[in-house]
PDB file of all heavy atoms in Angstrom:
ATOM      1  N   LEU A 184       3.195  20.135  -2.857  1.00 98.00           N
ATOM      2  CA  LEU A 184       2.699  19.382  -4.013  1.00 98.00           C
ATOM      3  C   LEU A 184       1.320  19.910  -4.426  1.00 98.00           C
ATOM      4  O   LEU A 184       1.025  20.078  -5.618  1.00 98.00           O
ATOM      5  CB  LEU A 184       2.640  17.885  -3.679  1.00 98.00           C
ATOM      6  CG  LEU A 184       2.088  16.977  -4.771  1.00 98.00           C
ATOM      7  CD1 LEU A 184       2.925  17.076  -6.056  1.00 98.00           C
ATOM      8  CD2 LEU A 184       2.031  15.519  -4.299  1.00 98.00           C
ATOM      9  N   ALA A 185       0.491  20.201  -3.426  1.00 98.00           N
ATOM     10  CA  ALA A 185      -0.834  20.769  -3.727  1.00 98.00           C
ATOM     11  C   ALA A 185      -0.677  22.128  -4.410  1.00 98.00           C
ATOM     12  O   ALA A 185      -1.406  22.452  -5.366  1.00 98.00           O
ATOM     13  CB  ALA A 185      -1.640  20.904  -2.442  1.00 98.00           C
ATOM     14  N   ASP A 186       0.285  22.923  -3.949  1.00 98.00           N
ATOM     15  CA  ASP A 186       0.511  24.242  -4.569  1.00 98.00           C
ATOM     16  C   ASP A 186       0.935  24.084  -6.037  1.00 98.00           C
ATOM     17  O   ASP A 186       0.482  24.824  -6.907  1.00 98.00           O
ATOM     18  CB  ASP A 186       1.594  25.023  -3.804  1.00 98.00           C
ATOM     19  CG  ASP A 186       1.126  25.357  -2.390  1.00 98.00           C
ATOM     20  OD1 ASP A 186      -0.096  25.287  -2.139  1.00 98.00           O
ATOM     21  OD2 ASP A 186       1.988  25.668  -1.542  1.00 98.00           O
ATOM     22  N   LEU A 187       1.800  23.083  -6.268  1.00 98.00           N
ATOM     23  CA  LEU A 187       2.231  22.846  -7.656  1.00 98.00           C
ATOM     24  C   LEU A 187       1.052  22.411  -8.523  1.00 98.00           C
ATOM     25  O   LEU A 187       0.922  22.831  -9.681  1.00 98.00           O
ATOM     26  CB  LEU A 187       3.266  21.722  -7.717  1.00 98.00           C
ATOM     27  CG  LEU A 187       4.707  22.032  -7.355  1.00 98.00           C
ATOM     28  CD1 LEU A 187       5.572  20.818  -7.644  1.00 98.00           C
ATOM     29  CD2 LEU A 187       5.206  23.236  -8.133  1.00 98.00           C
ATOM     30  N   ALA A 188       0.204  21.548  -7.951  1.00 98.00           N
ATOM     31  CA  ALA A 188      -0.956  21.069  -8.716  1.00 98.00           C
ATOM     32  C   ALA A 188      -1.814  22.260  -9.126  1.00 98.00           C
ATOM     33  O   ALA A 188      -2.323  22.338 -10.254  1.00 98.00           O
ATOM     34  CB  ALA A 188      -1.755  20.071  -7.890  1.00 98.00           C
ATOM     35  N   GLU A 189      -1.943  23.203  -8.203  1.00 98.00           N
ATOM     36  CA  GLU A 189      -2.739  24.389  -8.510  1.00 98.00           C
ATOM     37  C   GLU A 189      -2.052  25.226  -9.598  1.00 98.00           C
ATOM     38  O   GLU A 189      -2.669  25.653 -10.571  1.00 98.00           O
ATOM     39  CB  GLU A 189      -2.913  25.214  -7.237  1.00 98.00           C
ATOM     40  CG  GLU A 189      -3.774  26.429  -7.448  1.00 98.00           C
ATOM     41  CD  GLU A 189      -4.573  26.747  -6.192  1.00 98.00           C
ATOM     42  OE1 GLU A 189      -3.928  27.035  -5.169  1.00 98.00           O
ATOM     43  OE2 GLU A 189      -5.812  26.687  -6.261  1.00 98.00           O
ATOM     44  N   LYS A 190      -0.754  25.425  -9.429  1.00 98.00           N
ATOM     45  CA  LYS A 190      -0.021  26.276 -10.367  1.00 98.00           C
ATOM     46  C   LYS A 190      -0.074  25.721 -11.798  1.00 98.00           C
ATOM     47  O   LYS A 190      -0.189  26.463 -12.759  1.00 98.00           O
ATOM     48  CB  LYS A 190       1.434  26.388  -9.884  1.00 98.00           C
ATOM     49  CG  LYS A 190       2.350  27.182 -10.772  1.00 98.00           C
ATOM     50  CD  LYS A 190       3.675  27.466 -10.060  1.00 98.00           C
ATOM     51  CE  LYS A 190       4.682  28.059 -11.046  1.00 98.00           C
ATOM     52  NZ  LYS A 190       6.033  28.087 -10.489  1.00 98.00           N
ATOM     53  N   TYR A 191       0.036  24.380 -11.906  1.00 98.00           N
ATOM     54  CA  TYR A 191       0.119  23.785 -13.253  1.00 98.00           C
ATOM     55  C   TYR A 191      -1.192  23.131 -13.694  1.00 98.00           C
ATOM     56  O   TYR A 191      -1.214  22.402 -14.685  1.00 98.00           O
ATOM     57  CB  TYR A 191       1.253  22.749 -13.295  1.00 98.00           C
ATOM     58  CG  TYR A 191       2.604  23.416 -13.245  1.00 98.00           C
ATOM     59  CD1 TYR A 191       3.245  23.660 -12.040  1.00 98.00           C
ATOM     60  CD2 TYR A 191       3.237  23.831 -14.419  1.00 98.00           C
ATOM     61  CE1 TYR A 191       4.478  24.290 -11.988  1.00 98.00           C
ATOM     62  CE2 TYR A 191       4.477  24.456 -14.383  1.00 98.00           C
ATOM     63  CZ  TYR A 191       5.084  24.684 -13.168  1.00 98.00           C
ATOM     64  OH  TYR A 191       6.311  25.312 -13.124  1.00 98.00           O
ATOM     65  N   ASP A 192      -2.260  23.354 -12.956  1.00 98.00           N
ATOM     66  CA  ASP A 192      -3.542  22.753 -13.287  1.00 98.00           C
ATOM     67  C   ASP A 192      -3.404  21.225 -13.394  1.00 98.00           C
ATOM     68  O   ASP A 192      -3.855  20.607 -14.366  1.00 98.00           O
ATOM     69  CB  ASP A 192      -4.068  23.346 -14.615  1.00 98.00           C
ATOM     70  CG  ASP A 192      -5.546  23.041 -14.786  1.00 98.00           C
ATOM     71  OD1 ASP A 192      -6.182  22.671 -13.779  1.00 98.00           O
ATOM     72  OD2 ASP A 192      -6.050  23.159 -15.921  1.00 98.00           O
ATOM     73  N   ALA A 193      -2.744  20.671 -12.408  1.00 98.00           N
ATOM     74  CA  ALA A 193      -2.486  19.222 -12.418  1.00 98.00           C
ATOM     75  C   ALA A 193      -3.296  18.543 -11.311  1.00 98.00           C
ATOM     76  O   ALA A 193      -3.884  19.212 -10.453  1.00 98.00           O
ATOM     77  CB  ALA A 193      -0.994  18.965 -12.216  1.00 98.00           C
ATOM     78  N   PHE A 194      -3.298  17.213 -11.332  1.00 98.00           N
ATOM     79  CA  PHE A 194      -4.163  16.452 -10.433  1.00 98.00           C
ATOM     80  C   PHE A 194      -3.347  15.394  -9.686  1.00 98.00           C
ATOM     81  O   PHE A 194      -2.465  14.755 -10.257  1.00 98.00           O
ATOM     82  CB  PHE A 194      -5.264  15.778 -11.257  1.00 98.00           C
ATOM     83  CG  PHE A 194      -6.498  15.492 -10.462  1.00 98.00           C
ATOM     84  CD1 PHE A 194      -7.450  16.485 -10.251  1.00 98.00           C
ATOM     85  CD2 PHE A 194      -6.698  14.246  -9.895  1.00 98.00           C
ATOM     86  CE1 PHE A 194      -8.585  16.239  -9.499  1.00 98.00           C
ATOM     87  CE2 PHE A 194      -7.833  13.986  -9.136  1.00 98.00           C
ATOM     88  CZ  PHE A 194      -8.790  14.985  -8.947  1.00 98.00           C
ATOM     89  N   VAL A 195      -3.674  15.205  -8.414  1.00 99.00           N
ATOM     90  CA  VAL A 195      -2.948  14.238  -7.583  1.00 99.00           C
ATOM     91  C   VAL A 195      -3.843  13.026  -7.335  1.00 99.00           C
ATOM     92  O   VAL A 195      -4.935  13.157  -6.767  1.00 99.00           O
ATOM     93  CB  VAL A 195      -2.526  14.875  -6.239  1.00 99.00           C
ATOM     94  CG1 VAL A 195      -1.800  13.850  -5.366  1.00 99.00           C
ATOM     95  CG2 VAL A 195      -1.641  16.101  -6.497  1.00 99.00           C
ATOM     96  N   ILE A 196      -3.368  11.887  -7.767  1.00 99.00           N
ATOM     97  CA  ILE A 196      -4.110  10.645  -7.565  1.00 99.00           C
ATOM     98  C   ILE A 196      -3.497   9.999  -6.338  1.00 99.00           C
ATOM     99  O   ILE A 196      -2.391   9.455  -6.397  1.00 99.00           O
ATOM    100  CB  ILE A 196      -3.987   9.757  -8.821  1.00 99.00           C
ATOM    101  CG1 ILE A 196      -4.630  10.496 -10.005  1.00 99.00           C
ATOM    102  CG2 ILE A 196      -4.634   8.400  -8.596  1.00 99.00           C
ATOM    103  CD1 ILE A 196      -4.174  10.016 -11.342  1.00 99.00           C
ATOM    104  N   SER A 197      -4.181  10.125  -5.216  1.00 98.00           N
ATOM    105  CA  SER A 197      -3.568   9.749  -3.941  1.00 98.00           C
ATOM    106  C   SER A 197      -4.012   8.352  -3.524  1.00 98.00           C
ATOM    107  O   SER A 197      -5.142   8.141  -3.074  1.00 98.00           O
ATOM    108  CB  SER A 197      -3.939  10.785  -2.875  1.00 98.00           C
ATOM    109  OG  SER A 197      -3.130  10.595  -1.749  1.00 98.00           O
ATOM    110  N   ASP A 198      -3.113   7.413  -3.676  1.00 98.00           N
ATOM    111  CA  ASP A 198      -3.370   6.026  -3.297  1.00 98.00           C
ATOM    112  C   ASP A 198      -3.046   5.899  -1.816  1.00 98.00           C
ATOM    113  O   ASP A 198      -1.885   5.933  -1.416  1.00 98.00           O
ATOM    114  CB  ASP A 198      -2.481   5.115  -4.155  1.00 98.00           C
ATOM    115  CG  ASP A 198      -2.581   3.648  -3.766  1.00 98.00           C
ATOM    116  OD1 ASP A 198      -3.031   3.351  -2.644  1.00 98.00           O
ATOM    117  OD2 ASP A 198      -2.165   2.798  -4.578  1.00 98.00           O
ATOM    118  N   GLU A 199      -4.101   5.769  -1.002  1.00 98.00           N
ATOM    119  CA  GLU A 199      -3.907   5.717   0.449  1.00 98.00           C
ATOM    120  C   GLU A 199      -4.361   4.371   1.008  1.00 98.00           C
ATOM    121  O   GLU A 199      -4.854   4.273   2.131  1.00 98.00           O
ATOM    122  CB  GLU A 199      -4.590   6.928   1.102  1.00 98.00           C
ATOM    123  CG  GLU A 199      -3.999   8.210   0.516  1.00 98.00           C
ATOM    124  CD  GLU A 199      -4.384   9.512   1.210  1.00 98.00           C
ATOM    125  OE1 GLU A 199      -4.924   9.470   2.325  1.00 98.00           O
ATOM    126  OE2 GLU A 199      -4.115  10.574   0.610  1.00 98.00           O
ATOM    127  N   ILE A 200      -4.137   3.346   0.196  1.00 98.00           N
ATOM    128  CA  ILE A 200      -4.559   1.997   0.599  1.00 98.00           C
ATOM    129  C   ILE A 200      -3.838   1.538   1.870  1.00 98.00           C
ATOM    130  O   ILE A 200      -4.365   0.743   2.633  1.00 98.00           O
ATOM    131  CB  ILE A 200      -4.332   1.006  -0.572  1.00 98.00           C
ATOM    132  CG1 ILE A 200      -5.069  -0.305  -0.353  1.00 98.00           C
ATOM    133  CG2 ILE A 200      -2.857   0.750  -0.820  1.00 98.00           C
ATOM    134  CD1 ILE A 200      -5.087  -1.225  -1.580  1.00 98.00           C
ATOM    135  N   HIS A 201      -2.621   2.072   2.104  1.00 98.00           N
ATOM    136  CA  HIS A 201      -1.883   1.708   3.321  1.00 98.00           C
ATOM    137  C   HIS A 201      -2.193   2.658   4.484  1.00 98.00           C
ATOM    138  O   HIS A 201      -1.551   2.562   5.532  1.00 98.00           O
ATOM    139  CB  HIS A 201      -0.370   1.712   3.043  1.00 98.00           C
ATOM    140  CG  HIS A 201       0.072   0.647   2.085  1.00 98.00           C
ATOM    141  ND1 HIS A 201       0.345  -0.646   2.466  1.00 98.00           N
ATOM    142  CD2 HIS A 201       0.285   0.678   0.741  1.00 98.00           C
ATOM    143  CE1 HIS A 201       0.710  -1.368   1.401  1.00 98.00           C
ATOM    144  NE2 HIS A 201       0.675  -0.582   0.343  1.00 98.00           N
ATOM    145  N   GLY A 202      -3.155   3.554   4.294  1.00 98.00           N
ATOM    146  CA  GLY A 202      -3.443   4.594   5.285  1.00 98.00           C
ATOM    147  C   GLY A 202      -3.603   4.108   6.723  1.00 98.00           C
ATOM    148  O   GLY A 202      -3.055   4.714   7.647  1.00 98.00           O
TER     149      GLY A 202
END
Side-chain angles (χ1 to χ4, degrees):
L184 178 59
D186 295 343
L187 281 187
E189 182 147 62
K190 177 168 170 192
Y191 289 91
D192 196 16
F194 205 83
V195 179
I196 297 159
S197 193
D198 175 341
E199 302 190 13
I200 195 170
H201 294 276

